[in-house]
Each structure stands twice: as structure tokens, then as C-alpha cells.
Amino acid sequence: MLDFLKGPVFAIQEFFLLGAKAVKNIFRRPFYWSDLFVQMDIIGVGSLPIVLLTGFFSGAVMALQMARALSNYGAKEQTGVVVAITLVREMGPALTSLMVAGRNASGMASELGSMKVTEQIDAMRALGTDPVQKLVVPRMLATAITLPLLTIIADFVGIFGGYLVAAGILGLTGTQYWTSAWRAIEYSDILQGLLKPFVFAFAISLVGCYYGLNASGGTQGVGRATTQAVVMASVLIFILTFFITKLFVGEVY
Amino acid sequence: MSSDAPILEFQQVTVDFGDSLGLDNVSFQVREGDARIILGAAGSGKSVLLKTALGLLRPTSGRVRVFGEDVTDLNESAWFPVRRKLGVLFQEGGLFDSLTIAENVAYPLENNRKDPLPSTDVFQRVKEALEFVELGHTLDKVPSELSGGMRRRVGIARAMVTKPRLTLYDSPTAGLDPMTSYTIVALITKERCVHNTTTMIATHRYQDGHFLANYTYNGQTQSIEPRRHHGEDGDASTRFWVMREGRLVFDGTQSELGRVDDPYVAKFMKPRMDCNGN
Ligand SMILES: Nc1ncnc2c1ncn2[C@@H]1O[C@H](COP(=O)(O)OP(=O)(O)OP(=O)(O)O)[C@@H](O)[C@H]1O
Ligand SMILES: [Mg+2]
């Protein structure tokens, strides 16, 4: 009767086994440094333009929206506060991670998936290389290192985008905006804002690698793996962000 | 180890994929110098058999012995030294498309961290292997720049560069035209005769087996020539297997294969009547 659950349960178990193996392998030799740097370049530097764009415009849009709502209470000067807090706590991590999920979870799934269906993964194992060590560990670490950094950049350009709107359109002064924004952010906000991308990084990279390594059925299978990886990574980001937020909000109240 | 001990042995090996059986109670022994032609329809389990011999798939039950060592319960890292003694050509090629041809062929040598070769020796071996498959001029190309048949030959070079005692070829001629197929089988025959490699070939094509059983490489004239027959079986060390739905349904010499009535088995004897060209 519960047969239909067998597939998903098995997949979740396999996913966690892959995660455990990848984490354990971080401390194993050989460590593929050059693969790590290549992946950091692809994920970090490669995502920079899109992260700058989305970060900037989300800050700008937020300033527009918030200023309108706040002016109802005569609190337009508080725009900087709201933009900064929302970006650092929530929007920066979530948007950046979603962008990286779209770019890199799919990239990993399709790259590893093609390697799987052309038997390069089998060849690797046959020729004495552990695919988890060579492929998964560098991708996981590269994402875990670069995603928090990308988030910081997105937060900053977002707040800057908000400032341009506040100063250019809403007529606030720079001091009003920046000092209120700066004062509003607490250490727990920064902690929360960096913990999220760090956790999401593991979800994104492991999901991408998992779907890639389990691709089957030729080119079509690679396409399927890629789509599933992006969807699954994005959904996981939303679920995880809820729980991490809950953790921090629960602490405050 | 005495030379009689089987180089590869399966004892009642079953590989269960849950929804289907990849191998169904397969038993056999392969000895040093033997050749095995594994015939069978698509999906009959040829690739699964070869991958099980390499430890890439795990038997659900039964025992596997490689070079006399029981490898059934080895974990992944314990498999590495065993696999190092085997050569393999994958059905889909398995060439690393981010590496050049020379790097691909060097991979099994350089990846051996236990006793690494000096890099000049590696280069020499790589060159030799590529010249053996007549691709000495492609060292710095990448796989996507080569034709399908050339990639297959690079795969053969990579399989033989470590001078393995047992080499597994998965569908080496699949998807190639008859001339290129001939080149590939001739190379495999040459490799078998020159290095006395134990050889297992999975294939759809009966002609591949026929060639391997009846032709030999003459080192003096450097050419392929018909084997001198010791009776109607030709070379008794070359045996044919037929697989069907994961089972080994025929095991015998070429002439025994010719006398079988079973329509599924006999099908592989009449290649020209198969409109798929298989
Ligand atoms: N990793 C796997 N997971 C699940 N099923 C598999 C797996 N590998 C193979 N199979 C199944 O096992 C059966 C045998 O497959 P195999 O690849 O050995 O066939 P084959 O004889 O090599 O066919 P072909 O001539 O097309 O290469 C097929 O039904 C296949 O779907
Ligand atoms: Mg096959």
C-alpha cells in the first residue's frame, strides 16, 4: 500500500548519504584544489553580474514600495531602515540563492548528468577516481564559500539601489537614508543573513550534484535532471528560509 | 597463483534493479588467455555483466572473483587496486571531454598514486598506446574533435595503456560502419595477440566474434591473418556466450553455436538476415 512512498524515501536517503559522504570527503586526500578554484570562479565570478542586477533592482523597488506605505504614517525617512533590514535578513539571501540555484544547480545537474549518461562517471570509478571527491566536494565547497560573499554584495548594492531611489525620487537626504539604515541593522540580522546563504549553498550544490549523478536515459534524462534540480533547489530554499527565520524570530520574541 | 585459476569467476551472480533483473543467476569462469564473445539483444544484460565484473554494479547475491580474489564485498576504495589491473572500453566511450586525447590516455597511469610513473615514461606509454591504435597525431585534440570511430580507438588506447591482463570491451563496434568496425575488431585482435590479454567483448555483431575467433595478428609481417585451424572449432580458447534477459543461455564454441536450434540463439548466427544490421 505504501509502495508509492518507496521511491521518494529511497531518494531522500540517497540524497543524505551523498551529503554525508561529501562532507566526510572534505577531509580526505586527494583534495582537488584546482577543481575548487575553477568552481569558485564559475559560481562566484560567473554569478556576479546577475547578482548585482537583481540586488540593485530589488533594493530600488523596495524603496519605492516602502516609501509609499511609510508616507501614510508620515515616516518616509524610515525607508532606509526597512530596505536595509528586509534585504539583509531576507531578500538578499533568498534572491541571491535563487539566482545561483537557477544558474548553478542546473549547471551542475547538466554537467554531471552528461558525464553520467556518457559513462564518464563509470570511467572515473573504473580508473581509480572517486566521483564524490573529484566532482561533488569542490562544487559543494565552492558554493558554500561564494554564496555568502555574493549575498553581502547583493545586500550592499540593494541598499545602494534603495538610496538612489530615496534620494532621486523621494527627495530624502543621504544622511537620513544611510544613518537610519546603518543603525537599524543588528548583529543577529547579519548572522541570519549569512547563515541562510551558507545553508542554502549545501542544498543548491548537493541537489544539483545528486540529480546529475542519478541522471539516466540519455540526453532526455539530462534535461529532466536539470529541470528537477532547479525546481527542487528553489523549493528547498523557501522551506529552509522559513525554518531559519523562525529560529531567529523565535529568539527575539 | 597457478595459471589454471580463473582470472574472472562469477558464481550464481544476480543483480536485481528492483523493477528488473540485470543478471539472473549467472555463473562462469574465464581463464588467462581466453576470449569471450558476449552476444545478446539490447537490454539482455551484457553491459551489466561487464560492470559487475568491474565492481561498478554490486551483485544482489552470488560471488565474484577477480584474479582469484573474492571481490564481492569490497568497498569502493578497496576496489580501486583491483580495477587498476583491468582494462575497459565503455559502450558510450566514457572519454573525459574536458581533457585532451593525451590526457585521457594518460589518466589511468597518472591516477595511480601508489607507484607513480615518471612523467617521461607516462608520455612514452601514451604515445605508444595511441600509435598502436594509429592515432599518434591526435595527442592535443579533445574528444569532440574526433569521429565516433576515432573516439572508440582512443578508448581502446586508454584501456590498454596500463597493460592489463584482462580487458573488457563493451559494444566496441556499436553504431559504426562496417569498415570502421573491422578496424576496431582488428585492433582488439592485435591487442589480444601482442600482449596475450584475456579479452571479453560484448557485442550485437556475430562478425566481431567470428573475426576474433578466426584471425590472428602476425607480429613478423605486422598484419592480420587467418588463424591456422586445429579442427573445426578454430580456436578453442575463444568461446561464445548468448545472453537473454539477464541469463546466460548459451556457452560454447563457434561451431557449437552454429548447431544450436534455439531461434533466439541462432538469430545471432545469421547476421545478414537481421534487417537491423545487428
Ligand atoms: N543502473 C541501472 N539501474 C536500473 N536498471 C538498469 C541499470 N543498468 C541497466 N539496467 C537494466 O538492465 C537491463 C540490461 O541492461 P544492459 O545495459 O546490460 O543491456 P545490454 O545487453 O548492454 O544492451 P545494449 O546492447 O543495448 O547495450 C536493461 O533492462 C536495463 O534497463
Ligand atoms: Mg550495453
Side-chain angles (χ1 to χ4, degrees):
Chain A
M1 195 179 93
L2 291 174
D3 248 19
F4 69 99
L5 279 178
K6 231 163 74 182
V9 169
F10 184 71
I12 291 169
Q13 179 188 333
E14 289 287 290
F15 176 78
F16 278 105
L17 281 178
L18 176 70
K21 189 156 179 236
V23 171
K24 209 170 71 188
N25 277 21
I26 295 175
F27 308 103
R28 275 255 191 91
R29 280 174 44 80
F31 190 87
Y32 295 98
W33 286 102
S34 62
D35 292 274
L36 175 67
F37 292 130
V38 168
Q39 289 305 319
M40 281 172 67
D41 185 51
I42 293 175
I43 299 164
V45 182
S47 306
L48 205 49
I50 194 171
V51 164
L52 286 175
L53 273 173
T54 49
F56 180 85
F57 281 102
S58 54
V61 167
M62 224 178 315
L64 279 177
Q65 293 283 12
M66 289 307 162
R68 189 166 150 238
L70 287 169
S71 60
N72 288 341
Y73 307 99
K76 211 164 75 174
E77 310 75 49
Q78 300 295 312
T79 305
V81 177
V82 180
V83 170
I85 288 185
T86 338
L87 267 178
V88 171
R89 283 188 193 162
E90 208 58 70
M91 298 301 274
L95 286 175
T96 310
S97 303
L98 284 173
M99 288 300 137
V100 171
R103 272 189 89 248
N104 298 298
S106 59
M108 292 173 202
S110 64
E111 189 184 0
L112 269 55
S114 330
M115 293 182 77
K116 175 74 194 309
V117 300
T118 56
E119 293 182 318
Q120 291 179 56
I121 304 279
D122 281 332
M124 227 174 227
R125 291 175 63 201
L127 303 179
T129 303
D130 178 358
V132 174
Q133 187 82 359
K134 171 87 178 163
L135 301 172
V136 181
V137 170
R139 280 165 179 74
M140 185 179 76
L141 287 183
T143 319
I145 294 167
T146 52
L147 195 53
L149 296 176
L150 287 170
T151 304
I152 294 173
I153 295 170
D155 289 348
F156 187 77
V157 294
I159 296 174
F160 181 71
Y163 161 71
L164 287 189
V165 168
I169 303 177
L170 308 173
L172 296 180
T173 68
T175 343
Q176 269 176 327
Y177 183 88
W178 285 109
T179 31
S180 61
W182 181 249
R183 287 224 188 96
I185 299 170
E186 292 171 13
Y187 279 115
S188 79
D189 297 331
I190 294 174
L191 182 64
Q192 160 170 198
L194 289 180
L195 180 67
K196 281 177 182 172
F198 184 71
V199 173
F200 300 163
F202 289 91
I204 292 170
S205 55
L206 288 173
V207 164
C209 292
Y210 174 79
Y211 279 103
L213 290 177
N214 286 288
S216 64
T219 337
Q220 225 186 350
V222 177
R224 212 176 317 124
T226 308
T227 322
Q228 285 173 336
V230 176
V231 171
M232 184 52 85
S234 310
V235 169
L236 273 181
I237 287 172
F238 282 108
I239 295 175
L240 288 170
T241 207
F242 171 80
F243 284 106
I244 300 176
T245 307
K246 180 86 178 45
L247 204 73
F248 279 87
V249 171
E251 193 184 76
V252 171
Y253 294 110
Chain B
M1 193 181 79
S2 86
S3 61
D4 298 347
I7 212 166
L8 177 66
E9 182 176 13
F10 275 36
Q11 281 179 355
Q12 300 178 328
V13 172
T14 295
V15 175
D16 190 345
F17 289 122
D19 44 1
S20 68
L21 284 181
L23 289 183
D24 186 358
N25 199 14
V26 170
S27 303
F28 62 78
Q29 296 186 343
V30 177
R31 285 166 204 283
E32 183 112 49
D34 283 359
R36 292 287 178 273
I37 323 295
I38 311 169
L39 297 165
S44 56
K46 305 184 294 294
S47 299
V48 172
L49 188 148
L50 296 181
K51 285 185 182 172
T52 309
L54 278 165
L56 301 175
L57 291 171
R58 295 299 163 94
T60 324
S61 63
R63 315 295 308 170
V64 178
R65 278 193 192 79
V66 183
F67 302 118
E69 179 189 357
D70 190 330
V71 292
T72 322
D73 300 320
L74 292 188
N75 63 22
E76 184 76 6
S77 52
W79 257 105
F80 286 149
V82 180
R83 290 179 188 146
R84 208 166 285 143
K85 292 184 265 181
L86 304 172
V88 56
L89 170 72
F90 285 97
Q91 181 162 11
E92 306 293 340
L95 295 181
F96 302 122
D97 42 32
S98 56
L99 302 181
T100 65
I101 299 305
E103 287 166 344
N104 260 291
V105 178
Y107 197 93
L109 297 172
E110 288 181 331
N111 211 35
N112 183 354
R113 279 157 210 279
K114 266 254 186 75
D115 43 332
L117 279 176
S119 58
T120 49
D121 290 8
V122 169
F123 184 74
Q124 200 51 42
R125 293 271 287 273
V126 168
K127 247 180 97 101
E128 267 170 36
L130 279 169
E131 269 156 19
F132 187 91
V133 298
E134 289 151 33
L135 285 175
H137 55 287
T138 61
L139 287 170
D140 295 321
K141 296 204 153 88
V142 291
S144 58
E145 293 175 289
L146 302 186
S147 72
M150 287 160 100
R151 284 203 292 269
R152 225 42 87 72
R153 275 145 69 194
V154 175
I156 292 177
R158 188 174 70 177
M160 56 164 281
V161 73
T162 55
K163 303 199 163 83
R165 285 160 65 204
L166 171 62
T167 305
L168 315 174
Y169 299 94
D170 195 350
S171 310
T173 59
L176 300 179
D177 62 82
M179 267 315 290
T180 317
S181 301
Y182 168 82
T183 317
I184 299 285
V185 184
L187 279 174
I188 292 173
T189 308
K190 180 173 150 195
E191 154 70 11
R192 182 189 175 202
C193 299
V194 172
H195 297 119
N196 191 31
T197 318
T198 312
T199 302
M200 294 175 77
I201 302 187
T203 180
H204 296 250
R205 287 173 20 115
Y206 168 73
Q207 299 98 301
D208 296 350
H210 176 77
F211 193 96
L212 201 69
N214 295 286
Y215 288 81
T216 176
Y217 181 79
N218 185 327
Q220 268 150 16
T221 62
Q222 304 212 337
S223 62
I224 297 284
E225 54 188 44
R227 202 179 271 278
R228 273 184 216 93
H229 283 224
H230 307 290
E232 66 168 334
D233 264 353
D235 166 25
S237 67
T238 304
R239 291 177 79 85
F240 287 71
W241 291 349
V242 178
M243 293 198 67
R244 179 178 198 174
E245 289 161 14
R247 275 170 295 122
L248 211 54
V249 293
F250 173 83
D251 175 358
T253 60
Q254 189 175 14
S255 51
E256 283 164 4
L257 181 62
R259 290 194 290 269
V260 170
D261 286 333
D262 182 277
Y264 178 86
V265 174
K267 197 173 73 182
F268 293 98
M269 280 296 290
K270 305 187 187 72
R272 274 177 207 91
M273 291 175 68
D274 182 343
C275 48
N276 293 322
N278 292 331

